[in-house]
Amino acid sequence: MRSPMRGLYATVAVLCLGPLAAGCGGDSRAAEPEELLLQSLAVPGPDPFTASTVTAGAPPALPAVASAPKSPSGGGVTLRTLSGATSGLYAGIQGEAACDIGRQAGLLAADKRKAKAFAEAVGVERSGVAAFLRGLTPVVLRADVRVTGHGFHDGAAVARQSVLQAGTAVLVDEFGAPRVRCASGAPLKRPVAIRTELVNKGEPWSGYRADRVIVIKPATQAVNNFLLVNAVDNGWIERPSGTEGEDDAGPAVLPPVDPDEVFADPSRTDPGGAADSAGAERATPTPEPAPSTAPPQPPVEPAPAQPATPEPPVEPEVPAAPQPDLPADPDLGVPDLVEPEPADPGLSAGSEAGPEQDPVGAEPLAPAGPGQESLPEADELPR
């Protein structure tokens, strides 16, 4: 079944004007703006809405993700953004759901206070929570993803800027945007810029890097079929939106990208390497010309020299006006987001540095400055 909110969601984009502005909706209360909560894939985290509804399944093979570029203005990195319609953005197992949506709906229905707070956070009526959940699609993240998560505290949804570990099971809407974290039943929204000093909370996982976190924005049009990477054999699965694996099939046309290259650096035009490991270009030997057998030609008299035409005066170059770090998001009309570096480099780097990552088709997200002038974005559903 499809969510009754479909169609309305595509027409509304809310611009949050304050850091962690409660996820831009409902009665959610913002946590400390400088905190970034790191959430491992199987840990419920603080103040979960429900018990975990994650179903057992094979973990996906995680591809390399290229590092985000440093902000030209200094002071942070520019988070990379992928559309929710990107092929291979998510993983799954053919015929199986990563989350038990029916159980998730039942757990919320059993607690009216949590159901009310959940409904306010996602932008639906409390009576529409079950229908909202059944319209979502269970998938698994293939990269660390920045989101606005929520915890249930004192009867309300508390918004927290969070990073979800690759391998986390989530429910996505018809535009491919993460909406629920299955390990805690927490509502999810698009991230909001942190404007002050960034401090990591929670334990970083092996290989975590702050500059390899991506942001997922809603696709500009509804996605009828999500192209997932099969966690079993690294092949492709076509999953209809709003289904739980019962209608999975192989795609009629394979995507024009390898599953391992979804988050690869798009600047690499020759993955095989136009240069060797030392960085030197491979030269192609030029054959020596064959000796000429044509008869000698008489010398040609040079043409009389023509008087030189004076060159017009060159106008001095006028320096260009300073530009923002990155252009505005063409779909939502919101400036791109630049995050400050974490206060503790040890937390941001983790114990292992994975390979470089840079998603294909990526678009930079949020503010134009190094964190202080960034404007946040949100994917708020209308109520």
Side-chain angles (χ1 to χ4, degrees), residues 1-7 9 100-102 104-105 118 124 128-139 170-180 222-226 239-244 246 381:
M1 291 180 61
R2 293 182 179 273
S3 168
M5 296 303 297
R6 294 182 176 187
Y9 182 54
D100 188 334
I101 295 179
Q104 184 70 64
F118 182 95
V124 300
V129 168
F132 168 78
L133 290 171
R134 293 191 189 101
L136 303 179
T137 308
V139 296
V170 296
L171 301 177
V172 300
D173 62 20
E174 65 175 340
F175 297 96
R179 302 295 287 157
V180 179
V223 181
N224 293 324
N225 297 282
F226 291 101
R239 176 168 295 176
S241 177
T243 66
E244 301 179 52
E246 67 274 15
L381 285 172

Side-chain angles (χ1 to χ4, degrees), residues 346-369:
L347 286 181
S348 66
S351 59
E352 299 179 7
E356 292 295 313
Q357 0 174 33
D358 188 6
V360 171
E363 299 178 22
L365 171 78

Side-chain angles (χ1 to χ4, degrees), residues 22-343:
C24 299
D27 296 327
S28 301
R29 297 183 293 105
E32 290 298 321
E34 72 276 3
E35 294 182 0
L36 182 64
L37 179 62
L38 306 181
Q39 296 193 279
S40 299
L41 61 94
V43 178
D47 305 319
F49 269 74
T50 68
S52 174
T53 59
V54 177
T55 59
L62 300 181
V65 183
S67 299
K70 293 284 186 180
S71 167
S73 301
V77 295
T78 304
L79 300 183
R80 296 189 179 279
T81 303
L82 283 125
S83 164
T86 303
S87 299
L89 179 62
Y90 300 114
I93 298 177
Q94 185 160 341
E96 298 182 16
C99 309
D100 188 334
I101 295 179
R103 183 165 181 258
Q104 184 70 64
L107 291 172
L108 288 172
D111 191 320
K112 293 182 179 180
R113 296 176 68 211
K114 289 184 176 180
K116 180 177 182 293
F118 182 95
E120 290 173 344
V122 300
V124 300
E125 297 294 333
R126 193 182 75 182
S127 60
V129 168
F132 168 78
L133 290 171
R134 293 191 189 101
L136 303 179
T137 308
V139 296
V140 175
L141 302 179
R142 298 185 72 224
D144 297 342
V145 176
R146 172 71 181 278
V147 296
T148 295
H150 293 80
F152 181 76
H153 187 74
D154 288 341
V158 180
R160 299 185 176 103
Q161 293 308 293
S162 306
V163 175
L164 305 182
Q165 184 184 7
T168 296
V170 296
L171 301 177
V172 300
D173 62 20
E174 65 175 340
F175 297 96
R179 302 295 287 157
V180 179
R181 181 173 181 254
C182 302
S184 62
L188 302 177
K189 293 184 178 180
R190 294 193 69 189
V192 179
I194 292 179
R195 304 175 184 233
T196 59
E197 184 181 29
L198 188 153
V199 177
N200 284 339
K201 297 293 183 181
E203 291 295 325
W205 41 90
S206 176
Y208 169 73
R209 285 276 301 270
D211 60 349
R212 294 176 185 176
V213 175
I214 68 167
V215 174
I216 300 172
K217 74 172 183 178
T220 56
Q221 296 181 343
V223 181
N224 293 324
N225 297 282
F226 291 101
L227 290 177
L228 313 179
V229 175
N230 195 324
V232 176
D233 59 11
N234 214 42
W236 291 100
I237 301 171
E238 187 174 75
R239 176 168 295 176
S241 177
T243 66
E244 301 179 52
E246 67 274 15
D247 295 324
D248 286 355
V253 179
L254 294 178
V257 61
D258 187 88
D260 292 330
E261 297 296 323
V262 173
F263 306 100
D265 186 347
S267 65
R268 293 190 308 161
T269 56
D270 180 10
D276 59 22
S277 58
E281 294 184 358
R282 296 190 177 95
T284 302
T286 303
E288 294 185 2
S292 174
T293 57
Q297 300 293 324
V300 179
E301 292 293 332
Q306 299 293 327
T309 304
E311 294 287 338
V314 178
E315 295 291 335
E317 293 186 0
V318 179
Q323 300 296 314
D325 293 330
L326 291 167
D329 186 328
D331 296 325
L332 297 180
V334 181
D336 300 298
L337 177 140
V338 179
E339 290 281 59
E341 296 282 4

